[in-house]
Amino acid sequence: SQQGEEDPQALSIQEGENATMNCSYKTSINNLQWYRQNSGRGLVHLILIRSNEREKHSGRLRVTLDTSKKSSSLLITASRAADTASYFCATDARRAQKLVFGQGTRLTINP
Amino acid sequence: EADIYQTPRYLVIGTGKKITLECSQTMGHDKMYWYQQDPGMELHLIHYSYGVNSTEKGDLSSESTVSRIRTEHFPLTLESARPSHTSQYLCASSANGNQPQHFGDGTRLSIL
């Protein structure tokens, strides 16, 4: 069964606005990761948050993790056209040596 | 960008042909992975390897096979391609199983 589910499936906003994507998962994890995928390319790692962390920042990215709700959110502030991409969360179930990816959120930034 | 390379980037080929998709990384990572992804959809793990001479099937059943004779090389083979194999195949590597994965740009495979 799928470990991660993302919401919304698609999001379209104006340049300069903030974008928020959510990820829910089912089992205990060691960490949760967010990736970006531009059209026709591979995934690029954005940020990793450990299960004992609640919030992490990287540039315009802010990730939160709530292990009690088994959920995470990715906030992109002051969005740019170049942020247009699909964003995936990935979780590693404890004792597993692999990641399970969510369905992804397709983000479109309108100029 | 990470040093992981996939060839070819695009392949259009007829049914019944034998295909090998290449994946190489120069980071010395022990862990390597193959994912299948239809356009705009989620990734499905089809094969992974913990190191040389180690290969495991992933979460999605696949008719493909893999080998890991060298650390840097993790090719995927389809013995007899079918239209149902049409998809994008992404290769990735990581230093550890729960650490960030580095992805190649994928091979977009179309079987006629």
Side-chain angles (χ1 to χ4, degrees):
Chain A
S1 62
Q2 191 170 308
Q3 170 75 323
E5 295 187 4
E6 300 192 49
D7 170 61
Q9 289 192 342
L11 179 62
S12 181
I13 60 173
Q14 294 300 120
E15 194 167 18
E17 294 179 340
N18 296 340
T20 300
M21 290 156 270
N22 303 296
C23 170
S24 61
Y25 58 93
K26 297 177 182 175
T27 63
S28 297
I29 59 173
N30 291 311
N31 65 55
L32 185 145
Q33 303 176 32
W34 285 90
Y35 290 79
R36 184 189 74 234
Q37 184 180 34
N38 291 95
S39 180
R41 305 296 298 272
L43 278 71
V44 174
H45 178 259
L46 295 175
I47 197 165
L48 179 153
I49 186 166
R50 302 185 197 286
S51 60
N52 62 354
E53 297 177 311
R54 291 296 167 259
E55 188 170 311
K56 203 161 183 180
H57 297 255
S58 176
R60 293 184 296 113
L61 306 180
R62 173 178 168 249
V63 168
T64 61
L65 179 64
D66 187 335
T67 53
S68 66
K69 296 181 180 178
K70 292 186 169 57
S71 68
S72 174
S73 67
L74 170 67
L75 169 68
I76 303 174
T77 60
S79 63
R80 305 167 181 169
D83 294 329
T84 294
S86 291
Y87 291 82
F88 294 87
C89 68
T91 53
D92 67 325
R94 289 193 188 275
R95 296 194 299 274
Q97 288 288 303
K98 52 186 177 173
L99 299 178
V100 178
F101 287 82
Q103 302 164 308
T105 293
R106 288 189 301 280
L107 176 65
T108 301
I109 309 299
N110 301 304
Chain B
E1 296 295 323
D3 295 326
I4 181 163
Y5 307 100
Q6 290 186 244
T7 57
R9 286 277 282 127
Y10 304 93
L11 180 61
V12 180
I13 201 165
T15 298
K17 301 292 186 182
K18 180 178 179 179
I19 300 166
T20 296
L21 307 184
E22 303 288 350
C23 176
S24 295
Q25 50 97 3
T26 59
M27 296 169 284
H29 287 165
D30 283 331
K31 310 294 191 295
M32 295 191 75
Y33 312 86
W34 276 103
Y35 295 90
Q36 186 174 339
Q37 183 188 31
D38 291 326
M41 302 297 285
E42 64 196 287
L43 281 74
H44 294 284
L45 181 67
I46 52 175
H47 298 283
Y48 60 102
S49 168
Y50 291 150
V52 171
N53 295 326
S54 152
T55 61
E56 302 285 344
K57 289 193 177 294
D59 303 320
L60 180 69
S61 176
S62 173
E63 293 167 346
S64 58
T65 59
V66 292
S67 63
R68 189 88 182 276
I69 298 172
R70 302 198 316 263
T71 297
E72 62 270 23
H73 196 212
F74 192 38
L76 180 146
T77 298
L78 280 164
E79 289 293 334
S80 180
R82 296 208 301 265
S84 61
H85 297 139
T86 293
S87 190
Q88 174 165 253
Y89 293 83
L90 291 166
C91 180
S93 72
S94 68
N96 211 329
N98 57 7
Q99 292 302 301
Q101 293 184 9
H102 301 265
F103 282 79
D105 279 335
T107 294
R108 186 154 293 183
L109 179 63
S110 295
I111 310 299
L112 305 178

